Amino acid sequence: MEHDSHTTWEFNGSFYQPSAFLMMGIPGLEAFHHWISIPFCVLYLIALLGNCMILFIIKKTQSLHEPMYYFLSMLAVTDLGLVLCTLPTTLGIFWFNIRRIGFDVCLTQMYFIHILSFMESSVLLAMAFDRFIAISHPLRYPSILTKTTVIKIGLTIVLRGTVSLLPIPFLLKRLTYCGKTELSHSFCFHPDIMNLACADIKVNVFYGMIALLSTVGMDFICIVLSYILIIKTVISLATKEECLKALNTCVSHICAVLIFFIPMIGLSMIHRFGKNFPPLVNTLVAYIYLIIPPALNPIIYSIKSSHIREALFRALRRKCDSEW
């Protein structure tokens, strides 16, 4: 990135491609970017420290070496990736008004933001499957979700996200761009870049929709089905206490699903059908989608999981004892 308000153009016959795009902060509030950066810094700090803490506690606590916490580790890694993808450009705009981002750098950032989002969706599905097996087939749980199975699921999640979105940067590079180079966000987003092209983008729209529906769309449907089966199992339990205890193990996951999928669906709808929405709405939903889940997930799991809470308190006590 460079501190520059101008973009140059590469010309090749009838093919035009900008050397850079111009990112945008919060439209209409540019004069307050320094103040607005304060809550963003707090959220980024919570996300970085919280997810690192989750990973550290799970690694150091032998009793947490179980499938449920392995999947939580995957969620924490994915959240850290999302934070690190958007933090440099977002704070670069708020602090130094660095709006210019190179074309190839922009495509790289976009690719990683999208694959990490798809991976987070897949991890949430794996966590739903984990809860379904733990509640519906508790005796078979250790034999179904072995460490080898968890590793295979993790590798499948990475491979699925990476491969399904691999064509997207190349589909964008083949387009001709003309005139406008200003993006709608402080990071690069596929629909945002695609809409700046003056060529036919039907292939991009079609492939983007297919990739979204076949991954995130299917994940969401499967998560809903998992919870239908979980509720069916819980209803059949003998006592009310058993029902509540079983459902209580799902509360953190349900919260994580809601804070991830609701903004994602909202942002997708705005990009495809909300042409008349104010730019501020588009920007705020995008920030909620990419920053709020990584910041809230470690808080939710720390509050709701007694095992993580106890491990955290033990680690703090050891730290205090060593200092004394």
Side-chain angles (χ1 to χ4, degrees):
M1 290 186 297
E2 299 172 31
H3 194 152
D4 193 351
S5 60
H6 300 286
T7 58
T8 57
W9 296 81
E10 294 171 7
F11 177 74
N12 181 15
S14 60
F15 180 74
Y16 293 85
Q17 192 173 89
S19 63
F21 290 115
L22 295 176
M23 298 176 295
M24 183 184 288
I26 298 181
L29 299 174
E30 289 83 0
F32 303 99
H33 273 177
H34 283 92
W35 292 106
I36 293 169
S37 72
I38 295 172
F40 277 83
C41 289
V42 171
L43 287 170
Y44 278 130
L45 193 61
I46 291 170
L48 290 169
L49 294 179
N51 286 294
C52 286
M53 179 200 73
I54 292 285
L55 290 171
F56 176 79
I57 287 172
I58 291 173
K59 183 177 184 297
K60 292 292 184 180
T61 309
Q62 193 66 34
S63 61
L64 298 183
H65 291 183
E66 297 176 358
M68 176 182 174
Y69 297 104
Y70 290 144
F71 289 131
L72 180 57
S73 297
M74 293 180 198
L75 186 68
V77 169
T78 308
D79 282 339
L80 282 172
L82 279 172
V83 167
L84 294 173
C85 277
T86 60
L87 185 151
T89 52
T90 300
L91 294 186
I93 287 176
F94 288 159
W95 287 350
F96 309 110
N97 196 33
I98 300 175
R99 298 182 61 203
R100 191 174 187 271
I101 183 169
F103 183 81
D104 290 330
V105 175
C106 186
L107 294 188
T108 303
Q109 185 193 43
M110 175 217 69
Y111 178 67
F112 279 103
I113 286 174
H114 284 296
I115 65 168
L116 286 165
S117 296
F118 279 31
M119 284 167 59
E120 179 140 351
S121 169
S122 300
V123 171
L124 290 171
L125 172 59
M127 295 173 87
F129 176 70
D130 169 81
R131 291 299 82 211
F132 167 67
I133 298 298
I135 293 170
S136 301
H137 306 285
L139 297 178
R140 294 172 57 200
Y141 179 76
S143 60
I144 293 173
L145 283 175
T146 62
K147 189 175 286 189
T148 304
T149 304
V150 171
I151 291 170
K152 286 178 180 177
I153 291 172
L155 292 174
T156 303
I157 288 170
V158 174
L159 191 64
R160 183 195 190 208
T162 305
V163 173
S164 63
L165 290 170
L166 192 59
I168 294 290
F170 300 102
L171 288 173
L172 289 171
K173 280 185 78 74
R174 72 181 179 86
L175 296 175
T176 296
Y177 298 82
C178 47
K180 192 178 178 185
T181 60
E182 194 169 72
L183 301 170
S184 304
H185 308 292
S186 60
F187 50 83
C188 297
F189 200 62
H190 175 239
D192 212 15
I193 301 170
M194 179 179 68
N195 289 330
L196 295 179
C198 53
D200 187 354
I201 59 171
K202 286 178 184 174
V203 174
N204 295 67
V205 172
F206 179 75
Y207 186 82
M209 186 66 74
I210 292 297
L212 186 68
L213 293 176
S214 64
T215 52
V216 178
M218 288 301 297
D219 290 345
F220 183 71
I221 291 169
C222 291
I223 289 170
V224 172
L225 290 174
S226 295
Y227 274 101
I228 290 171
L229 295 173
I230 286 170
I231 290 168
K232 188 178 175 182
T233 302
V234 167
I235 289 171
S236 67
L237 294 174
T239 65
K240 185 180 177 181
E241 288 73 21
E242 287 178 329
C243 291
L244 293 174
K245 186 178 179 181
L247 288 174
N248 193 48
T249 64
C250 301
V251 171
S252 301
H253 180 254
I254 291 170
C255 292
V257 168
L258 292 176
I259 63 174
F260 175 77
F261 279 102
I262 290 175
M264 185 185 212
I265 293 167
L267 187 61
S268 298
M269 293 299 102
I270 289 171
H271 270 286
R272 280 166 177 81
F273 310 113
K275 302 298 181 186
N276 298 322
F277 273 87
L280 183 60
V281 174
N282 184 9
T283 302
L284 291 178
V285 173
Y287 283 132
I288 291 170
Y289 163 51
L290 288 176
I291 299 175
I292 296 299
L296 287 187
N297 283 338
I299 295 173
I300 291 167
Y301 276 94
S302 297
I303 291 171
K304 287 302 299 176
S305 173
S306 59
H307 298 295
I308 290 179
R309 255 198 335 271
E310 289 165 7
L312 175 61
F313 290 147
R314 281 198 300 270
L316 290 173
R317 277 199 298 270
R318 282 197 298 269
K319 180 72 174 173
C320 292
D321 292 342
S322 64
E323 287 180 357
W324 283 99

Coordinates of all heavy atoms in Angstrom, one line a residue, residues 79-148:
D79 N -10.4 -17.1 13.1 CA -10.8 -15.8 13.5 C -9.5 -14.9 13.5 O -9.5 -13.7 13.1 CB -11.4 -15.8 14.9 CG -12.9 -16.2 14.9 OD1 -13.5 -16.0 13.8 OD2 -13.4 -16.6 15.9
L80 N -8.4 -15.5 14.0 CA -7.1 -14.7 14.0 C -6.7 -14.3 12.5 O -6.3 -13.2 12.3 CB -6.0 -15.5 14.6 CG -6.0 -15.6 16.1 CD1 -4.9 -16.6 16.6 CD2 -5.7 -14.2 16.7
G81 N -6.9 -15.3 11.6 CA -6.6 -15.0 10.2 C -7.5 -13.9 9.7 O -6.9 -13.0 9.0
L82 N -8.8 -13.9 10.0 CA -9.6 -12.8 9.5 C -9.2 -11.4 10.1 O -9.2 -10.4 9.3 CB -11.1 -13.1 9.9 CG -11.9 -14.1 9.0 CD1 -13.2 -14.4 9.7 CD2 -12.1 -13.5 7.6
V83 N -8.9 -11.4 11.3 CA -8.4 -10.2 12.0 C -7.1 -9.7 11.3 O -7.0 -8.5 10.9 CB -8.2 -10.4 13.5 CG1 -7.4 -9.2 14.1 CG2 -9.5 -10.6 14.2
L84 N -6.2 -10.5 11.1 CA -4.9 -10.1 10.5 C -5.0 -9.7 9.0 O -4.2 -8.9 8.5 CB -3.9 -11.3 10.6 CG -3.5 -11.6 12.1 CD1 -2.6 -12.8 12.1 CD2 -2.8 -10.4 12.7
C85 N -6.1 -10.2 8.4 CA -6.3 -9.8 7.0 C -6.8 -8.4 6.8 O -6.5 -7.7 5.9 CB -7.3 -10.8 6.3 SG -6.6 -12.3 5.7
T86 N -7.7 -8.0 7.8 CA -8.3 -6.7 7.6 C -7.7 -5.6 8.5 O -7.9 -4.4 8.2 CB -9.8 -6.8 8.0 OG1 -9.9 -7.2 9.4 CG2 -10.6 -7.7 7.1
L87 N -7.0 -5.9 9.5 CA -6.4 -5.0 10.4 C -5.5 -3.9 9.7 O -5.6 -2.7 10.0 CB -5.7 -5.7 11.6 CG -5.1 -4.8 12.7 CD1 -5.1 -5.6 14.0 CD2 -3.7 -4.4 12.4
P88 N -4.5 -4.4 8.9 CA -3.5 -3.4 8.3 C -4.2 -2.3 7.5 O -3.9 -1.1 7.6 CB -2.6 -4.3 7.5 CG -2.7 -5.6 8.1 CD -4.1 -5.7 8.5
T89 N -5.2 -2.7 6.6 CA -5.8 -1.7 5.7 C -6.8 -0.9 6.5 O -6.9 0.3 6.2 CB -6.5 -2.4 4.5 OG1 -7.3 -3.5 5.0 CG2 -5.4 -3.1 3.6
T90 N -7.5 -1.5 7.4 CA -8.5 -0.7 8.2 C -7.9 0.4 9.0 O -8.2 1.6 9.0 CB -9.4 -1.6 9.0 OG1 -10.1 -2.6 8.2 CG2 -10.4 -0.8 9.8
L91 N -6.9 0.0 9.8 CA -6.2 1.0 10.7 C -5.3 1.9 9.9 O -5.1 3.1 10.2 CB -5.4 0.3 11.7 CG -6.2 -0.5 12.8 CD1 -5.3 -1.1 13.9 CD2 -7.3 0.3 13.4
G92 N -4.9 1.4 8.7 CA -4.1 2.3 7.8 C -4.9 3.5 7.3 O -4.4 4.6 7.2
I93 N -6.2 3.2 7.0 CA -7.1 4.3 6.6 C -7.4 5.2 7.8 O -7.4 6.4 7.7 CB -8.4 3.7 6.0 CG1 -8.1 3.1 4.6 CG2 -9.4 4.8 5.9 CD1 -9.2 2.5 3.9
F94 N -7.8 4.6 8.9 CA -8.2 5.4 10.1 C -7.1 6.3 10.6 O -7.3 7.4 11.1 CB -8.8 4.5 11.2 CG -10.1 3.9 10.8 CD1 -10.5 2.7 11.5 CD2 -11.0 4.5 9.9 CE1 -11.8 2.2 11.2 CE2 -12.2 3.9 9.6 CZ -12.6 2.8 10.3
W95 N -5.9 5.7 10.7 CA -4.8 6.5 11.3 C -4.0 7.4 10.3 O -3.7 8.5 10.7 CB -3.8 5.5 11.9 CG -4.3 4.8 13.2 CD1 -5.4 5.2 13.9 CD2 -3.7 3.7 13.9 NE1 -5.5 4.3 15.0 CE2 -4.5 3.4 15.0 CE3 -2.6 2.9 13.6 CZ2 -4.2 2.4 15.9 CZ3 -2.2 1.9 14.5 CH2 -3.0 1.7 15.6
F96 N -3.8 6.9 9.1 CA -2.9 7.6 8.2 C -3.5 7.9 6.9 O -2.8 8.5 6.0 CB -1.6 6.7 7.9 CG -0.9 6.2 9.2 CD1 -1.0 4.9 9.5 CD2 -0.3 7.1 10.0 CE1 -0.4 4.4 10.7 CE2 0.3 6.6 11.2 CZ 0.3 5.3 11.5
N97 N -4.8 7.6 6.7 CA -5.5 7.9 5.4 C -4.8 7.2 4.2 O -4.7 7.8 3.1 CB -5.6 9.4 5.2 CG -6.7 9.7 4.1 OD1 -7.7 9.0 4.0 ND2 -6.5 10.7 3.4
I98 N -4.3 6.0 4.4 CA -3.6 5.3 3.4 C -4.7 4.5 2.6 O -5.2 3.5 3.1 CB -2.5 4.3 3.9 CG1 -1.5 5.1 4.6 CG2 -1.9 3.5 2.7 CD1 -0.4 4.2 5.3
R99 N -5.2 5.0 1.5 CA -6.3 4.5 0.8 C -5.9 3.6 -0.4 O -6.7 2.7 -0.8 CB -7.2 5.6 0.3 CG -7.8 6.4 1.4 CD -8.7 7.5 0.8 NE -9.8 6.9 0.0 CZ -10.5 7.5 -1.0 NH1 -10.2 8.7 -1.3 NH2 -11.5 6.8 -1.6
R100 N -4.7 3.8 -0.9 CA -4.3 3.1 -2.1 C -3.8 1.7 -1.8 O -3.0 1.5 -0.9 CB -3.2 3.9 -2.8 CG -2.8 3.4 -4.2 CD -1.8 4.4 -4.8 NE -1.6 4.1 -6.2 CZ -0.7 3.3 -6.7 NH1 0.1 2.6 -5.8 NH2 -0.5 3.1 -7.9
I101 N -4.3 0.7 -2.6 CA -3.8 -0.7 -2.4 C -3.6 -1.3 -3.8 O -4.5 -1.1 -4.7 CB -4.9 -1.5 -1.6 CG1 -4.3 -3.0 -1.4 CG2 -6.2 -1.5 -2.3 CD1 -5.1 -3.8 -0.4
G102 N -2.5 -1.9 -4.0 CA -2.1 -2.4 -5.3 C -3.2 -3.5 -5.8 O -3.8 -4.2 -5.0
F103 N -3.3 -3.6 -7.1 CA -4.3 -4.5 -7.7 C -4.1 -5.9 -7.2 O -5.0 -6.6 -6.7 CB -4.3 -4.4 -9.2 CG -5.3 -5.2 -9.9 CD1 -6.6 -4.7 -10.1 CD2 -5.0 -6.5 -10.4 CE1 -7.6 -5.5 -10.7 CE2 -6.0 -7.2 -11.1 CZ -7.3 -6.7 -11.2
D104 N -2.9 -6.4 -7.4 CA -2.6 -7.8 -7.0 C -2.7 -8.0 -5.5 O -3.1 -9.1 -5.0 CB -1.2 -8.3 -7.5 CG -1.2 -8.4 -9.1 OD1 -2.3 -8.7 -9.6 OD2 -0.2 -8.2 -9.7
V105 N -2.3 -7.0 -4.7 CA -2.4 -7.1 -3.3 C -3.8 -7.2 -2.8 O -4.2 -7.9 -1.9 CB -1.7 -5.9 -2.6 CG1 -1.8 -5.9 -1.1 CG2 -0.2 -5.9 -2.9
C106 N -4.6 -6.4 -3.5 CA -6.1 -6.4 -3.2 C -6.7 -7.7 -3.5 O -7.5 -8.2 -2.7 CB -6.7 -5.3 -4.1 SG -8.5 -5.0 -3.7
L107 N -6.4 -8.3 -4.6 CA -6.9 -9.7 -5.0 C -6.4 -10.7 -4.0 O -7.2 -11.6 -3.6 CB -6.5 -10.1 -6.4 CG -7.0 -9.3 -7.5 CD1 -6.7 -9.9 -8.9 CD2 -8.5 -9.1 -7.5
T108 N -5.2 -10.6 -3.5 CA -4.7 -11.5 -2.5 C -5.4 -11.4 -1.2 O -5.8 -12.4 -0.6 CB -3.2 -11.3 -2.2 OG1 -2.5 -11.4 -3.5 CG2 -2.6 -12.3 -1.2
Q109 N -5.6 -10.1 -0.7 CA -6.4 -9.9 0.5 C -7.8 -10.4 0.4 O -8.3 -11.1 1.3 CB -6.4 -8.4 0.8 CG -7.1 -8.1 2.2 CD -7.4 -6.7 2.4 OE1 -7.9 -6.0 1.5 NE2 -7.2 -6.2 3.6
M110 N -8.4 -10.1 -0.8 CA -9.8 -10.6 -1.0 C -9.9 -12.1 -0.9 O -10.8 -12.7 -0.3 CB -10.3 -10.1 -2.4 CG -11.6 -10.7 -2.8 SD -11.7 -11.0 -4.6 CE -10.6 -12.4 -4.7
Y111 N -8.9 -12.8 -1.6 CA -8.9 -14.3 -1.6 C -8.9 -14.8 -0.2 O -9.6 -15.7 0.2 CB -7.8 -14.8 -2.4 CG -7.6 -16.3 -2.5 CD1 -8.6 -17.0 -3.1 CD2 -6.5 -16.9 -1.9 CE1 -8.5 -18.4 -3.2 CE2 -6.4 -18.3 -2.0 CZ -7.4 -19.0 -2.6 OH -7.3 -20.4 -2.7
F112 N -8.0 -14.3 0.6 CA -7.8 -14.8 2.0 C -9.0 -14.5 2.9 O -9.4 -15.3 3.7 CB -6.5 -14.3 2.6 CG -5.3 -15.1 2.2 CD1 -4.4 -14.6 1.2 CD2 -5.0 -16.4 2.7 CE1 -3.3 -15.3 0.8 CE2 -4.0 -17.1 2.2 CZ -3.1 -16.6 1.3
I113 N -9.6 -13.3 2.7 CA -10.8 -13.0 3.5 C -11.9 -13.9 3.2 O -12.5 -14.5 4.1 CB -11.2 -11.5 3.2 CG1 -10.3 -10.5 3.9 CG2 -12.7 -11.3 3.7 CD1 -10.6 -9.1 3.5
H114 N -12.1 -14.2 1.9 CA -13.2 -15.1 1.5 C -12.9 -16.6 1.9 O -13.8 -17.3 2.4 CB -13.5 -15.0 0.0 CG -14.2 -13.8 -0.3 ND1 -15.5 -13.5 0.1 CD2 -13.8 -12.7 -1.1 CE1 -15.8 -12.3 -0.4 NE2 -14.9 -11.8 -1.1
I115 N -11.7 -17.1 1.7 CA -11.5 -18.5 2.1 C -11.5 -18.7 3.6 O -12.0 -19.7 4.1 CB -10.1 -19.1 1.6 CG1 -8.9 -18.4 2.2 CG2 -10.1 -19.1 0.1 CD1 -7.6 -19.1 1.9
L116 N -11.1 -17.7 4.4 CA -11.2 -17.8 5.8 C -12.7 -17.7 6.3 O -13.0 -18.4 7.2 CB -10.4 -16.6 6.5 CG -8.9 -16.8 6.4 CD1 -8.1 -15.5 6.8 CD2 -8.4 -17.9 7.4
S117 N -13.5 -16.9 5.6 CA -14.9 -16.9 5.9 C -15.6 -18.2 5.6 O -16.4 -18.7 6.4 CB -15.6 -15.8 5.1 OG -15.1 -14.5 5.4
F118 N -15.2 -18.8 4.5 CA -15.7 -20.1 4.1 C -15.3 -21.2 5.1 O -16.0 -22.1 5.5 CB -15.3 -20.5 2.7 CG -16.2 -19.9 1.6 CD1 -16.7 -18.6 1.8 CD2 -16.4 -20.5 0.4 CE1 -17.5 -18.0 0.8 CE2 -17.1 -19.9 -0.6 CZ -17.7 -18.7 -0.4
M119 N -14.0 -21.1 5.5 CA -13.5 -22.0 6.5 C -14.2 -21.9 7.8 O -14.5 -22.9 8.5 CB -12.0 -21.8 6.6 CG -11.1 -22.4 5.5 SD -9.4 -21.8 5.5 CE -8.9 -22.4 7.1
E120 N -14.5 -20.7 8.2 CA -15.2 -20.5 9.5 C -16.6 -21.1 9.5 O -17.0 -21.7 10.4 CB -15.3 -19.0 9.8 CG -16.1 -18.7 11.1 CD -15.5 -17.6 11.9 OE1 -14.4 -17.1 11.6 OE2 -16.1 -17.2 12.9
S121 N -17.2 -21.0 8.3 CA -18.5 -21.6 8.1 C -18.4 -23.1 8.3 O -19.2 -23.8 8.9 CB -19.1 -21.2 6.7 OG -20.2 -22.0 6.4
S122 N -17.4 -23.7 7.6 CA -17.2 -25.1 7.7 C -16.8 -25.6 9.1 O -17.3 -26.7 9.6 CB -16.0 -25.6 6.7 OG -16.4 -25.2 5.4
V123 N -16.0 -24.8 9.8 CA -15.7 -25.1 11.2 C -16.9 -25.1 12.1 O -17.1 -26.0 12.9 CB -14.6 -24.2 11.8 CG1 -14.5 -24.4 13.3 CG2 -13.3 -24.3 11.1
L124 N -17.8 -24.2 11.9 CA -19.1 -24.1 12.7 C -20.0 -25.3 12.4 O -20.6 -25.9 13.3 CB -19.9 -22.8 12.3 CG -19.2 -21.5 12.9 CD1 -19.9 -20.3 12.3 CD2 -19.3 -21.5 14.4
L125 N -19.9 -25.8 11.1 CA -20.6 -27.0 10.8 C -20.0 -28.2 11.5 O -20.7 -29.1 12.0 CB -20.6 -27.3 9.2 CG -21.2 -28.6 8.8 CD1 -22.6 -28.8 9.2 CD2 -21.0 -28.7 7.2
A126 N -18.7 -28.3 11.5 CA -18.0 -29.4 12.2 C -18.3 -29.4 13.7 O -18.5 -30.5 14.3 CB -16.5 -29.3 12.0
M127 N -18.4 -28.2 14.3 CA -18.8 -28.1 15.7 C -20.2 -28.5 15.9 O -20.6 -29.1 17.0 CB -18.6 -26.6 16.1 CG -17.1 -26.2 16.1 SD -16.9 -24.5 16.5 CE -16.8 -24.5 18.2
A128 N -21.1 -28.2 15.0 CA -22.5 -28.7 15.1 C -22.6 -30.2 15.0 O -23.3 -30.9 15.8 CB -23.4 -28.1 14.0
F129 N -21.8 -30.8 14.2 CA -21.7 -32.3 14.0 C -21.2 -32.9 15.4 O -21.7 -33.9 15.8 CB -20.8 -32.7 12.9 CG -20.6 -34.1 12.7 CD1 -21.6 -35.0 12.3 CD2 -19.3 -34.7 13.0 CE1 -21.4 -36.3 12.2 CE2 -19.1 -36.1 12.8 CZ -20.2 -36.9 12.5
D130 N -20.2 -32.2 15.9 CA -19.6 -32.7 17.2 C -20.7 -32.7 18.3 O -20.8 -33.6 19.1 CB -18.4 -31.7 17.6 CG -18.0 -31.9 19.0 OD1 -17.2 -32.9 19.2 OD2 -18.4 -31.2 19.9
R131 N -21.5 -31.6 18.4 CA -22.5 -31.5 19.4 C -23.6 -32.6 19.2 O -24.1 -33.2 20.1 CB -23.2 -30.1 19.4 CG -22.3 -29.0 19.9 CD -21.8 -29.2 21.4 NE -20.7 -30.1 21.5 CZ -20.4 -30.9 22.5 NH1 -21.3 -31.0 23.5 NH2 -19.4 -31.7 22.5
F132 N -23.9 -32.8 17.9 CA -24.9 -33.8 17.5 C -24.5 -35.2 18.0 O -25.2 -36.0 18.6 CB -25.2 -33.8 16.0 CG -26.0 -35.0 15.6 CD1 -27.3 -35.2 15.9 CD2 -25.4 -36.0 14.8 CE1 -28.0 -36.3 15.5 CE2 -26.1 -37.1 14.3 CZ -27.4 -37.3 14.7
I133 N -23.2 -35.6 17.7 CA -22.7 -36.9 18.1 C -22.6 -37.0 19.6 O -23.0 -38.0 20.2 CB -21.3 -37.1 17.5 CG1 -21.4 -37.1 16.0 CG2 -20.7 -38.5 18.0 CD1 -22.2 -38.2 15.4
A134 N -22.2 -35.9 20.3 CA -22.0 -36.0 21.7 C -23.4 -36.1 22.5 O -23.4 -36.8 23.5 CB -21.4 -34.7 22.2
I135 N -24.4 -35.5 21.9 CA -25.7 -35.6 22.5 C -26.5 -36.8 22.1 O -27.2 -37.5 22.9 CB -26.5 -34.3 22.3 CG1 -25.9 -33.1 23.0 CG2 -28.0 -34.4 22.7 CD1 -26.4 -31.8 22.6
S136 N -26.5 -37.1 20.8 CA -27.3 -38.2 20.3 C -26.7 -39.6 20.4 O -27.3 -40.6 20.6 CB -27.6 -38.0 18.8 OG -28.3 -36.8 18.6
H137 N -25.3 -39.7 20.4 CA -24.6 -41.0 20.5 C -23.4 -40.8 21.4 O -22.3 -41.0 21.0 CB -24.1 -41.4 19.1 CG -25.2 -41.5 18.1 ND1 -26.1 -42.4 18.0 CD2 -25.5 -40.6 17.0 CE1 -27.0 -42.2 17.0 NE2 -26.6 -41.1 16.4
P138 N -23.7 -40.5 22.7 CA -22.6 -40.2 23.7 C -21.6 -41.4 23.9 O -20.4 -41.2 24.0 CB -23.3 -39.9 25.0 CG -24.7 -40.5 24.8 CD -25.0 -40.4 23.4
L139 N -22.1 -42.6 23.8 CA -21.3 -43.8 24.0 C -20.3 -44.0 22.8 O -19.2 -44.6 23.0 CB -22.1 -45.1 24.3 CG -23.0 -45.0 25.5 CD1 -23.8 -46.3 25.7 CD2 -22.2 -44.8 26.8
R140 N -20.8 -43.7 21.6 CA -20.0 -43.9 20.4 C -19.1 -42.6 20.1 O -18.3 -42.7 19.2 CB -20.9 -44.2 19.2 CG -21.6 -45.5 19.4 CD -22.6 -45.7 18.3 NE -22.0 -45.6 17.0 CZ -22.7 -45.4 15.8 NH1 -24.0 -45.2 15.9 NH2 -22.1 -45.3 14.7
Y141 N -19.3 -41.6 20.9 CA -18.6 -40.3 20.6 C -17.1 -40.4 20.5 O -16.5 -40.0 19.5 CB -18.9 -39.3 21.7 CG -18.3 -37.9 21.5 CD1 -18.7 -37.0 20.6 CD2 -17.2 -37.5 22.4 CE1 -18.2 -35.8 20.5 CE2 -16.6 -36.3 22.2 CZ -17.1 -35.4 21.3 OH -16.5 -34.2 21.2
P142 N -16.4 -41.1 21.5 CA -14.9 -41.2 21.4 C -14.5 -42.0 20.1 O -13.4 -41.8 19.6 CB -14.5 -41.9 22.7 CG -15.7 -41.8 23.6 CD -16.9 -41.7 22.7
S143 N -15.3 -43.0 19.7 CA -14.8 -43.9 18.6 C -15.1 -43.2 17.3 O -14.5 -43.5 16.3 CB -15.5 -45.3 18.7 OG -17.0 -45.1 18.6
I144 N -16.1 -42.3 17.2 CA -16.5 -41.7 16.0 C -15.5 -40.5 15.7 O -14.9 -40.4 14.6 CB -17.9 -41.2 16.0 CG1 -18.9 -42.3 16.0 CG2 -18.2 -40.3 14.8 CD1 -20.4 -42.0 16.2
L145 N -15.4 -39.6 16.7 CA -14.5 -38.4 16.5 C -13.2 -38.7 17.2 O -12.8 -38.1 18.2 CB -15.2 -37.2 17.1 CG -16.3 -36.6 16.3 CD1 -17.0 -35.5 17.1 CD2 -15.8 -36.1 15.0
T146 N -12.4 -39.5 16.5 CA -11.0 -39.8 17.0 C -10.1 -38.6 16.6 O -10.5 -37.8 15.8 CB -10.5 -41.1 16.4 OG1 -10.4 -40.9 15.0 CG2 -11.3 -42.3 16.8
K147 N -8.9 -38.6 17.1 CA -8.0 -37.5 16.7 C -7.7 -37.5 15.2 O -7.6 -36.5 14.6 CB -6.7 -37.6 17.5 CG -5.7 -36.5 17.4 CD -4.5 -36.6 18.3 CE -4.8 -36.3 19.7 NZ -3.6 -36.2 20.5
T148 N -7.6 -38.7 14.7 CA -7.3 -38.8 13.2 C -8.5 -38.3 12.4 O -8.3 -37.6 11.4 CB -7.1 -40.3 12.8 OG1 -6.0 -40.9 13.6 CG2 -6.8 -40.4 11.3

